[in-house]
PDB file of all heavy atoms in Angstrom:
ATOM      1  N   ASP M1376      62.240  66.570  77.662  1.00  0.00           N
ATOM      2  CA  ASP M1376      61.119  65.737  78.210  1.00  0.00           C
ATOM      3  C   ASP M1376      60.210  66.659  79.044  1.00  0.00           C
ATOM      4  O   ASP M1376      60.645  67.183  80.085  1.00  0.00           O
ATOM      5  CB  ASP M1376      61.700  64.610  79.005  1.00  0.00           C
ATOM      6  CG  ASP M1376      60.594  63.707  79.630  1.00  0.00           C
ATOM      7  OD1 ASP M1376      59.397  63.929  79.313  1.00  0.00           O
ATOM      8  OD2 ASP M1376      61.030  62.842  80.419  1.00  0.00           O
ATOM      9  N   TRP M1377      58.957  66.815  78.662  1.00  0.00           N
ATOM     10  CA  TRP M1377      58.070  67.693  79.371  1.00  0.00           C
ATOM     11  C   TRP M1377      57.687  67.083  80.766  1.00  0.00           C
ATOM     12  O   TRP M1377      57.200  67.861  81.537  1.00  0.00           O
ATOM     13  CB  TRP M1377      56.841  68.001  78.547  1.00  0.00           C
ATOM     14  CG  TRP M1377      55.931  66.721  78.316  1.00  0.00           C
ATOM     15  CD1 TRP M1377      56.049  65.790  77.335  1.00  0.00           C
ATOM     16  CD2 TRP M1377      54.792  66.317  79.125  1.00  0.00           C
ATOM     17  NE1 TRP M1377      55.124  64.847  77.457  1.00  0.00           N
ATOM     18  CE2 TRP M1377      54.313  65.131  78.508  1.00  0.00           C
ATOM     19  CE3 TRP M1377      54.156  66.835  80.234  1.00  0.00           C
ATOM     20  CZ2 TRP M1377      53.262  64.465  79.066  1.00  0.00           C
ATOM     21  CZ3 TRP M1377      53.111  66.128  80.762  1.00  0.00           C
ATOM     22  CH2 TRP M1377      52.630  64.942  80.190  1.00  0.00           C
ATOM     23  N   GLU M1378      57.908  65.860  81.018  1.00  0.00           N
ATOM     24  CA  GLU M1378      57.648  65.280  82.317  1.00  0.00           C
ATOM     25  C   GLU M1378      58.830  65.266  83.271  1.00  0.00           C
ATOM     26  O   GLU M1378      58.619  64.844  84.417  1.00  0.00           O
ATOM     27  CB  GLU M1378      57.139  63.805  82.115  1.00  0.00           C
ATOM     28  CG  GLU M1378      55.831  63.685  81.355  1.00  0.00           C
ATOM     29  CD  GLU M1378      55.392  62.246  81.127  1.00  0.00           C
ATOM     30  OE1 GLU M1378      56.204  61.437  80.713  1.00  0.00           O
ATOM     31  OE2 GLU M1378      54.243  61.967  81.461  1.00  0.00           O
ATOM     32  N   ALA M1379      59.961  65.793  82.804  1.00  0.00           N
ATOM     33  CA  ALA M1379      61.066  65.749  83.693  1.00  0.00           C
ATOM     34  C   ALA M1379      60.875  66.703  84.874  1.00  0.00           C
ATOM     35  O   ALA M1379      60.143  67.745  84.717  1.00  0.00           O
ATOM     36  CB  ALA M1379      62.308  66.071  82.904  1.00  0.00           C
ATOM     37  N   GLU M1380      61.591  66.442  85.883  1.00  0.00           N
ATOM     38  CA  GLU M1380      61.500  67.225  87.094  1.00  0.00           C
ATOM     39  C   GLU M1380      61.965  68.729  86.865  1.00  0.00           C
ATOM     40  O   GLU M1380      61.320  69.659  87.372  1.00  0.00           O
ATOM     41  CB  GLU M1380      62.346  66.655  88.218  1.00  0.00           C
ATOM     42  CG  GLU M1380      61.882  67.068  89.636  1.00  0.00           C
ATOM     43  CD  GLU M1380      62.628  66.231  90.702  1.00  0.00           C
ATOM     44  OE1 GLU M1380      62.357  65.067  90.793  1.00  0.00           O
ATOM     45  OE2 GLU M1380      63.457  66.845  91.383  1.00  0.00           O
ATOM     46  N   ASP M1381      62.944  68.840  86.022  1.00  0.00           N
ATOM     47  CA  ASP M1381      63.437  70.208  85.684  1.00  0.00           C
ATOM     48  C   ASP M1381      62.963  70.622  84.301  1.00  0.00           C
ATOM     49  O   ASP M1381      63.703  71.414  83.617  1.00  0.00           O
ATOM     50  CB  ASP M1381      64.958  70.198  85.682  1.00  0.00           C
ATOM     51  CG  ASP M1381      65.627  69.184  84.696  1.00  0.00           C
ATOM     52  OD1 ASP M1381      64.887  68.353  84.176  1.00  0.00           O
ATOM     53  OD2 ASP M1381      66.817  69.289  84.519  1.00  0.00           O
ATOM     54  N   ALA M1382      61.778  70.281  83.941  1.00  0.00           N
ATOM     55  CA  ALA M1382      61.215  70.580  82.595  1.00  0.00           C
ATOM     56  C   ALA M1382      61.203  72.125  82.295  1.00  0.00           C
ATOM     57  O   ALA M1382      61.484  72.538  81.168  1.00  0.00           O
ATOM     58  CB  ALA M1382      59.832  69.964  82.413  1.00  0.00           C
ATOM     59  N   ALA M1383      60.716  72.897  83.299  1.00  0.00           N
ATOM     60  CA  ALA M1383      60.646  74.363  83.069  1.00  0.00           C
ATOM     61  C   ALA M1383      62.007  74.933  82.677  1.00  0.00           C
ATOM     62  O   ALA M1383      62.148  75.696  81.725  1.00  0.00           O
ATOM     63  CB  ALA M1383      60.089  75.024  84.261  1.00  0.00           C
ATOM     64  N   GLU M1384      62.955  74.589  83.421  1.00  0.00           N
ATOM     65  CA  GLU M1384      64.318  75.077  83.114  1.00  0.00           C
ATOM     66  C   GLU M1384      64.853  74.584  81.766  1.00  0.00           C
ATOM     67  O   GLU M1384      65.451  75.402  80.964  1.00  0.00           O
ATOM     68  CB  GLU M1384      65.333  74.658  84.231  1.00  0.00           C
ATOM     69  CG  GLU M1384      66.730  75.062  84.004  1.00  0.00           C
ATOM     70  CD  GLU M1384      67.740  74.515  85.041  1.00  0.00           C
ATOM     71  OE1 GLU M1384      67.275  74.198  86.185  1.00  0.00           O
ATOM     72  OE2 GLU M1384      68.963  74.363  84.696  1.00  0.00           O
ATOM     73  N   LYS M1385      64.628  73.292  81.449  1.00  0.00           N
ATOM     74  CA  LYS M1385      65.086  72.752  80.191  1.00  0.00           C
ATOM     75  C   LYS M1385      64.355  73.386  79.056  1.00  0.00           C
ATOM     76  O   LYS M1385      64.974  73.660  77.992  1.00  0.00           O
ATOM     77  CB  LYS M1385      64.825  71.211  80.169  1.00  0.00           C
ATOM     78  CG  LYS M1385      65.795  70.536  81.163  1.00  0.00           C
ATOM     79  CD  LYS M1385      67.282  70.643  80.774  1.00  0.00           C
ATOM     80  CE  LYS M1385      68.063  69.798  81.715  1.00  0.00           C
ATOM     81  NZ  LYS M1385      69.564  70.155  81.551  1.00  0.00           N
ATOM     82  N   PHE M1386      63.049  73.667  79.135  1.00  0.00           N
ATOM     83  CA  PHE M1386      62.297  74.336  78.031  1.00  0.00           C
ATOM     84  C   PHE M1386      62.727  75.779  77.855  1.00  0.00           C
ATOM     85  O   PHE M1386      62.700  76.291  76.756  1.00  0.00           O
ATOM     86  CB  PHE M1386      60.844  74.130  78.250  1.00  0.00           C
ATOM     87  CG  PHE M1386      60.250  72.944  77.555  1.00  0.00           C
ATOM     88  CD1 PHE M1386      60.052  71.731  78.352  1.00  0.00           C
ATOM     89  CD2 PHE M1386      60.005  72.881  76.277  1.00  0.00           C
ATOM     90  CE1 PHE M1386      59.656  70.656  77.724  1.00  0.00           C
ATOM     91  CE2 PHE M1386      59.566  71.754  75.614  1.00  0.00           C
ATOM     92  CZ  PHE M1386      59.376  70.594  76.358  1.00  0.00           C
ATOM     93  N   HIS M1387      63.053  76.418  78.956  1.00  0.00           N
ATOM     94  CA  HIS M1387      63.629  77.774  78.896  1.00  0.00           C
ATOM     95  C   HIS M1387      64.919  77.780  78.039  1.00  0.00           C
ATOM     96  O   HIS M1387      65.016  78.598  77.133  1.00  0.00           O
ATOM     97  CB  HIS M1387      63.836  78.439  80.290  1.00  0.00           C
ATOM     98  CG  HIS M1387      64.531  79.702  80.243  1.00  0.00           C
ATOM     99  ND1 HIS M1387      63.931  80.913  79.865  1.00  0.00           N
ATOM    100  CD2 HIS M1387      65.855  80.085  80.366  1.00  0.00           C
ATOM    101  CE1 HIS M1387      64.796  81.847  79.859  1.00  0.00           C
ATOM    102  NE2 HIS M1387      65.981  81.386  80.130  1.00  0.00           N
ATOM    103  N   GLU M1388      65.822  76.859  78.336  1.00  0.00           N
ATOM    104  CA  GLU M1388      67.074  76.795  77.618  1.00  0.00           C
ATOM    105  C   GLU M1388      66.759  76.435  76.160  1.00  0.00           C
ATOM    106  O   GLU M1388      67.406  76.883  75.261  1.00  0.00           O
ATOM    107  CB  GLU M1388      67.950  75.706  78.236  1.00  0.00           C
ATOM    108  CG  GLU M1388      68.484  76.086  79.558  1.00  0.00           C
ATOM    109  CD  GLU M1388      69.236  74.909  80.297  1.00  0.00           C
ATOM    110  OE1 GLU M1388      69.437  73.855  79.644  1.00  0.00           O
ATOM    111  OE2 GLU M1388      69.615  75.147  81.524  1.00  0.00           O
ATOM    112  N   TYR M1389      65.823  75.453  75.911  1.00  0.00           N
ATOM    113  CA  TYR M1389      65.478  75.016  74.581  1.00  0.00           C
ATOM    114  C   TYR M1389      64.928  76.175  73.770  1.00  0.00           C
ATOM    115  O   TYR M1389      65.312  76.250  72.613  1.00  0.00           O
ATOM    116  CB  TYR M1389      64.501  73.842  74.732  1.00  0.00           C
ATOM    117  CG  TYR M1389      63.892  73.395  73.471  1.00  0.00           C
ATOM    118  CD1 TYR M1389      64.554  72.457  72.708  1.00  0.00           C
ATOM    119  CD2 TYR M1389      62.601  73.799  73.017  1.00  0.00           C
ATOM    120  CE1 TYR M1389      64.040  71.922  71.549  1.00  0.00           C
ATOM    121  CE2 TYR M1389      62.065  73.192  71.830  1.00  0.00           C
ATOM    122  CZ  TYR M1389      62.851  72.353  71.060  1.00  0.00           C
ATOM    123  OH  TYR M1389      62.260  71.850  69.915  1.00  0.00           O
ATOM    124  N   GLY M1390      64.095  77.004  74.378  1.00  0.00           N
ATOM    125  CA  GLY M1390      63.475  78.048  73.597  1.00  0.00           C
ATOM    126  C   GLY M1390      64.285  79.321  73.439  1.00  0.00           C
ATOM    127  O   GLY M1390      64.035  80.059  72.488  1.00  0.00           O
ATOM    128  N   TYR M1391      65.182  79.643  74.385  1.00  0.00           N
ATOM    129  CA  TYR M1391      65.780  80.903  74.455  1.00  0.00           C
ATOM    130  C   TYR M1391      67.374  80.938  74.355  1.00  0.00           C
ATOM    131  O   TYR M1391      67.917  81.936  73.931  1.00  0.00           O
ATOM    132  CB  TYR M1391      65.354  81.753  75.624  1.00  0.00           C
ATOM    133  CG  TYR M1391      63.941  81.965  75.654  1.00  0.00           C
ATOM    134  CD1 TYR M1391      63.068  81.240  76.489  1.00  0.00           C
ATOM    135  CD2 TYR M1391      63.360  82.955  74.833  1.00  0.00           C
ATOM    136  CE1 TYR M1391      61.669  81.531  76.461  1.00  0.00           C
ATOM    137  CE2 TYR M1391      62.059  83.247  74.807  1.00  0.00           C
ATOM    138  CZ  TYR M1391      61.209  82.488  75.623  1.00  0.00           C
ATOM    139  OH  TYR M1391      59.825  82.743  75.619  1.00  0.00           O
ATOM    140  N   ILE M1392      68.027  79.882  74.747  1.00  0.00           N
ATOM    141  CA  ILE M1392      69.463  79.936  74.891  1.00  0.00           C
ATOM    142  C   ILE M1392      70.033  79.293  73.606  1.00  0.00           C
ATOM    143  O   ILE M1392      69.822  78.179  73.307  1.00  0.00           O
ATOM    144  CB  ILE M1392      69.994  79.123  76.138  1.00  0.00           C
ATOM    145  CG1 ILE M1392      69.225  79.658  77.407  1.00  0.00           C
ATOM    146  CG2 ILE M1392      71.472  79.215  76.248  1.00  0.00           C
ATOM    147  CD1 ILE M1392      69.436  81.127  77.698  1.00  0.00           C
ATOM    148  N   ARG M1393      70.876  80.024  72.914  1.00  0.00           N
ATOM    149  CA  ARG M1393      71.570  79.592  71.725  1.00  0.00           C
ATOM    150  C   ARG M1393      72.973  80.029  71.714  1.00  0.00           C
ATOM    151  O   ARG M1393      73.354  81.106  72.206  1.00  0.00           O
ATOM    152  CB  ARG M1393      70.929  80.237  70.450  1.00  0.00           C
ATOM    153  CG  ARG M1393      69.447  79.892  70.213  1.00  0.00           C
ATOM    154  CD  ARG M1393      69.352  78.482  69.724  1.00  0.00           C
ATOM    155  NE  ARG M1393      67.958  78.163  69.417  1.00  0.00           N
ATOM    156  CZ  ARG M1393      67.126  77.697  70.325  1.00  0.00           C
ATOM    157  NH1 ARG M1393      67.506  77.489  71.541  1.00  0.00           N
ATOM    158  NH2 ARG M1393      65.819  77.420  70.069  1.00  0.00           N
ATOM    159  N   ASP M1394      73.835  79.180  71.173  1.00  0.00           N
ATOM    160  CA  ASP M1394      75.187  79.555  70.939  1.00  0.00           C
ATOM    161  C   ASP M1394      75.310  80.353  69.703  1.00  0.00           C
ATOM    162  O   ASP M1394      74.569  80.038  68.680  1.00  0.00           O
ATOM    163  CB  ASP M1394      76.125  78.300  70.770  1.00  0.00           C
ATOM    164  CG  ASP M1394      76.196  77.557  72.146  1.00  0.00           C
ATOM    165  OD1 ASP M1394      76.182  78.144  73.169  1.00  0.00           O
ATOM    166  OD2 ASP M1394      76.420  76.304  72.048  1.00  0.00           O
ATOM    167  N   ASN M1395      76.131  81.427  69.608  1.00  0.00           N
ATOM    168  CA  ASN M1395      76.305  82.184  68.470  1.00  0.00           C
ATOM    169  C   ASN M1395      77.707  81.796  67.860  1.00  0.00           C
ATOM    170  O   ASN M1395      78.706  82.361  68.101  1.00  0.00           O
ATOM    171  CB  ASN M1395      76.223  83.651  68.798  1.00  0.00           C
ATOM    172  CG  ASN M1395      76.309  84.492  67.538  1.00  0.00           C
ATOM    173  OD1 ASN M1395      76.156  84.100  66.378  1.00  0.00           O
ATOM    174  ND2 ASN M1395      76.579  85.828  67.778  1.00  0.00           N
ATOM    175  N   ILE M1396      77.660  80.743  67.068  1.00  0.00           N
ATOM    176  CA  ILE M1396      78.929  80.040  66.589  1.00  0.00           C
ATOM    177  C   ILE M1396      79.394  80.814  65.374  1.00  0.00           C
ATOM    178  O   ILE M1396      78.704  81.056  64.412  1.00  0.00           O
ATOM    179  CB  ILE M1396      78.661  78.603  66.311  1.00  0.00           C
ATOM    180  CG1 ILE M1396      78.238  77.857  67.555  1.00  0.00           C
ATOM    181  CG2 ILE M1396      79.825  77.934  65.603  1.00  0.00           C
ATOM    182  CD1 ILE M1396      77.838  76.465  67.331  1.00  0.00           C
ATOM    183  N   ALA M1397      80.727  81.097  65.393  1.00  0.00           N
ATOM    184  CA  ALA M1397      81.449  81.672  64.210  1.00  0.00           C
ATOM    185  C   ALA M1397      82.230  80.474  63.695  1.00  0.00           C
ATOM    186  O   ALA M1397      83.323  80.246  64.153  1.00  0.00           O
ATOM    187  CB  ALA M1397      82.327  82.873  64.560  1.00  0.00           C
ATOM    188  N   GLY M1398      81.655  79.763  62.756  1.00  0.00           N
ATOM    189  CA  GLY M1398      82.261  78.539  62.171  1.00  0.00           C
ATOM    190  C   GLY M1398      81.255  77.499  61.839  1.00  0.00           C
ATOM    191  O   GLY M1398      80.063  77.849  61.540  1.00  0.00           O
ATOM    192  N   SER M1399      81.650  76.234  61.791  1.00  0.00           N
ATOM    193  CA  SER M1399      80.713  75.176  61.398  1.00  0.00           C
ATOM    194  C   SER M1399      79.686  74.927  62.392  1.00  0.00           C
ATOM    195  O   SER M1399      79.860  74.799  63.607  1.00  0.00           O
ATOM    196  CB  SER M1399      81.527  73.835  61.212  1.00  0.00           C
ATOM    197  OG  SER M1399      80.793  72.821  60.742  1.00  0.00           O
ATOM    198  N   MET M1400      78.434  74.821  61.855  1.00  0.00           N
ATOM    199  CA  MET M1400      77.243  74.697  62.649  1.00  0.00           C
ATOM    200  C   MET M1400      76.160  73.885  61.900  1.00  0.00           C
ATOM    201  O   MET M1400      76.037  74.003  60.695  1.00  0.00           O
ATOM    202  CB  MET M1400      76.701  76.134  63.049  1.00  0.00           C
ATOM    203  CG  MET M1400      75.488  76.079  63.806  1.00  0.00           C
ATOM    204  SD  MET M1400      75.031  77.904  64.225  1.00  0.00           S
ATOM    205  CE  MET M1400      73.537  77.571  65.106  1.00  0.00           C
ATOM    206  N   GLN M1401      75.433  73.096  62.677  1.00  0.00           N
ATOM    207  CA  GLN M1401      74.359  72.323  62.082  1.00  0.00           C
ATOM    208  C   GLN M1401      73.099  73.193  62.257  1.00  0.00           C
ATOM    209  O   GLN M1401      72.746  73.640  63.400  1.00  0.00           O
ATOM    210  CB  GLN M1401      74.083  71.004  62.752  1.00  0.00           C
ATOM    211  CG  GLN M1401      75.112  69.937  62.364  1.00  0.00           C
ATOM    212  CD  GLN M1401      74.748  68.596  62.849  1.00  0.00           C
ATOM    213  OE1 GLN M1401      74.345  68.426  63.971  1.00  0.00           O
ATOM    214  NE2 GLN M1401      74.923  67.610  62.014  1.00  0.00           N
ATOM    215  N   GLU M1402      72.343  73.413  61.173  1.00  0.00           N
ATOM    216  CA  GLU M1402      71.137  74.240  61.223  1.00  0.00           C
ATOM    217  C   GLU M1402      69.982  73.464  60.591  1.00  0.00           C
ATOM    218  O   GLU M1402      70.089  72.611  59.702  1.00  0.00           O
ATOM    219  CB  GLU M1402      71.402  75.501  60.366  1.00  0.00           C
ATOM    220  CG  GLU M1402      72.603  76.268  60.717  1.00  0.00           C
ATOM    221  CD  GLU M1402      73.012  77.317  59.682  1.00  0.00           C
ATOM    222  OE1 GLU M1402      72.818  77.108  58.544  1.00  0.00           O
ATOM    223  OE2 GLU M1402      73.536  78.336  60.189  1.00  0.00           O
ATOM    224  N   LEU M1403      68.782  73.913  61.012  1.00  0.00           N
ATOM    225  CA  LEU M1403      67.523  73.344  60.425  1.00  0.00           C
ATOM    226  C   LEU M1403      67.042  74.332  59.299  1.00  0.00           C
ATOM    227  O   LEU M1403      66.914  75.502  59.490  1.00  0.00           O
ATOM    228  CB  LEU M1403      66.444  73.304  61.482  1.00  0.00           C
ATOM    229  CG  LEU M1403      66.609  72.065  62.443  1.00  0.00           C
ATOM    230  CD1 LEU M1403      65.576  72.295  63.608  1.00  0.00           C
ATOM    231  CD2 LEU M1403      66.367  70.794  61.743  1.00  0.00           C
ATOM    232  N   TRP M1404      66.696  73.646  58.214  1.00  0.00           N
ATOM    233  CA  TRP M1404      66.160  74.394  57.015  1.00  0.00           C
ATOM    234  C   TRP M1404      64.944  73.645  56.617  1.00  0.00           C
ATOM    235  O   TRP M1404      64.911  72.428  56.460  1.00  0.00           O
ATOM    236  CB  TRP M1404      67.185  74.438  55.862  1.00  0.00           C
ATOM    237  CG  TRP M1404      68.306  75.409  56.158  1.00  0.00           C
ATOM    238  CD1 TRP M1404      69.412  75.127  57.014  1.00  0.00           C
ATOM    239  CD2 TRP M1404      68.565  76.677  55.537  1.00  0.00           C
ATOM    240  NE1 TRP M1404      70.235  76.244  56.957  1.00  0.00           N
ATOM    241  CE2 TRP M1404      69.741  77.159  56.090  1.00  0.00           C
ATOM    242  CE3 TRP M1404      67.913  77.476  54.635  1.00  0.00           C
ATOM    243  CZ2 TRP M1404      70.282  78.404  55.798  1.00  0.00           C
ATOM    244  CZ3 TRP M1404      68.437  78.644  54.265  1.00  0.00           C
ATOM    245  CH2 TRP M1404      69.602  79.118  54.779  1.00  0.00           C
ATOM    246  N   TYR M1405      63.833  74.369  56.254  1.00  0.00           N
ATOM    247  CA  TYR M1405      62.641  73.792  55.808  1.00  0.00           C
ATOM    248  C   TYR M1405      62.379  74.059  54.335  1.00  0.00           C
ATOM    249  O   TYR M1405      62.426  75.285  53.894  1.00  0.00           O
ATOM    250  CB  TYR M1405      61.470  74.383  56.627  1.00  0.00           C
ATOM    251  CG  TYR M1405      60.053  73.947  56.231  1.00  0.00           C
ATOM    252  CD1 TYR M1405      59.647  72.626  56.335  1.00  0.00           C
ATOM    253  CD2 TYR M1405      59.187  74.892  55.668  1.00  0.00           C
ATOM    254  CE1 TYR M1405      58.437  72.212  55.929  1.00  0.00           C
ATOM    255  CE2 TYR M1405      57.910  74.463  55.323  1.00  0.00           C
ATOM    256  CZ  TYR M1405      57.540  73.067  55.453  1.00  0.00           C
ATOM    257  OH  TYR M1405      56.277  72.682  55.123  1.00  0.00           O
TER     258      TYR M1405
END
């Protein structure tokens, strides 16, 4: 939510922080 009080932190996590899973993972494909 861009209006949330912690929006900057949440968007940083959204854009840059990823788990590197070795196993079953849900992925986006276009």
Side-chain angles (χ1 to χ4, degrees):
D1376 178 7
W1377 66 274
E1378 294 179 311
E1380 204 170 293
D1381 60 347
E1384 178 183 335
K1385 293 295 183 190
F1386 270 97
H1387 172 78
E1388 291 172 6
Y1389 176 81
Y1391 296 104
I1392 307 300
R1393 297 284 182 274
D1394 291 331
N1395 189 12
I1396 297 172
S1399 183
M1400 178 174 176
Q1401 285 189 316
E1402 305 168 327
L1403 284 172
W1404 289 73
Y1405 177 65

